Amino acid sequence: MSAFAGLVERLADLLEPLFHASAAAAAIVLFTALVRLLVHPLSRAAARGQRARAALQPRIAELRKKYRKDPERMRKAVLELHEKEKVSPLSGILPGLLQLPAFFLLYHLFSSSTVGGEANELLSHQLFAAPLGGRWLDVLGGGGVFGAAGLVYLALFAVVGAVAVFNYRRTKRTMAASAPAADGAEVPGLGAVSAFVPFLSFFTLVTVAVVPLAAALYVVTSTAWSAVERAVLYPSTTRR
């Protein structure tokens, strides 16, 4: 934790001539971008995996029809098909999983009053008028929604909301395009799950509201990055 705090402090010192009092916030955005750059090769691999899985959908639909009365045999046949074609059903979740340590580091760093037995000086940094260690509820109890700090959160909510709408529409288009491939052979319970999936992006708004502002900046930056990345890696999905 001390080493990570030192990294954020050094990045903030480098960015201070440009961002002044908000240098630490800019350092978190830069750190997030560096994490996403490191994970980007896995995101590209995940995109290739999704295209490969999409190409298998007609064959999977045939297996579902063939074994619709034997769900266990159907699942086994689908797994065997993925193994034969060297397509991993789990490849798409790796980029997200590998980002979790960075998020939790930021969360704990800006939730702790001390680091390495000393006062956590990072808590004194702000994004404009909003302290990086504060939460939205703190803002509501202080200057209110439209106070100086409240406006910072409103801007973050606006960015996350715009990205969530983009993701919602893209997910709906993707699911609509893949629905015919299933040819009516659905896995029991999948319909309810599928109806819920497009709304997952909106839960980011809850995350931004309850975590320290520093962690919220990570979430907002990473979410916006993901939207742009998916628009580039999945062009056919975003243009339909």
Side-chain angles (χ1 to χ4, degrees):
M1 189 70 73
S2 298
F4 183 64
L7 172 62
V8 175
E9 287 281 12
R10 284 192 289 273
L11 286 175
D13 291 340
L14 291 174
L15 296 172
E16 186 174 4
L18 289 175
F19 298 97
H20 307 293
S22 297
I28 292 169
V29 173
L30 177 59
F31 170 76
T32 307
L34 292 174
V35 171
R36 293 309 305 257
L37 279 174
L38 289 174
V39 176
H40 182 67
L42 289 176
S43 298
R44 296 181 67 89
R48 291 193 297 270
Q50 179 165 317
R51 289 192 290 270
R53 290 192 296 274
L56 292 179
Q57 286 306 307
R59 296 167 65 182
I60 291 175
E62 292 177 2
L63 291 174
R64 286 175 175 169
K65 290 174 64 176
K66 182 178 180 180
Y67 300 111
R68 66 194 317 165
K69 295 183 179 180
D70 189 351
E72 184 61 32
R73 183 68 184 90
M74 180 193 69
R75 283 191 289 268
K76 184 177 180 180
V78 170
L79 289 175
E80 289 174 350
L81 177 61
H82 280 100
E83 184 177 356
K84 178 182 178 182
E85 298 297 331
K86 297 181 180 179
V87 175
S88 173
L90 303 178
S91 61
I93 68 173
L94 285 178
L97 287 177
L98 291 179
Q99 293 176 63
L100 288 178
F103 169 78
F104 283 119
L105 270 175
L106 275 173
Y107 179 88
H108 287 294
L109 180 59
F110 284 88
S111 297
S112 303
S113 58
T114 60
V115 175
E118 299 181 357
N120 186 356
E121 296 182 359
L122 287 172
L123 296 180
S124 64
H125 290 275
Q126 297 180 322
L127 173 59
F128 301 112
L132 293 180
R135 292 170 167 81
W136 190 48
L137 288 179
D138 300 328
V139 170
L140 294 179
V145 175
F146 298 105
L151 292 177
V152 173
Y153 276 92
L154 287 180
L156 294 181
F157 289 143
V159 173
V160 173
V163 173
V165 170
F166 171 83
N167 287 335
Y168 171 82
R169 292 176 176 174
R170 178 185 54 77
T171 303
K172 292 286 285 186
R173 286 195 295 266
T174 302
M175 294 174 65
S178 61
D183 193 25
E186 295 291 338
V187 176
L190 185 60
V193 175
S194 299
F196 178 74
V197 166
F199 296 96
L200 289 177
S201 295
F202 291 97
F203 281 89
T204 307
L205 290 165
V206 179
T207 303
V208 172
V210 301
V211 301
L213 178 57
L217 278 176
Y218 181 95
V219 171
V220 172
T221 305
S222 184
T223 301
W225 181 292
S226 294
V228 175
E229 188 175 66
R230 293 188 70 84
V232 173
L233 296 179
Y234 305 85
S236 60
T237 298
T238 56
R239 292 174 186 172
R240 286 178 182 175

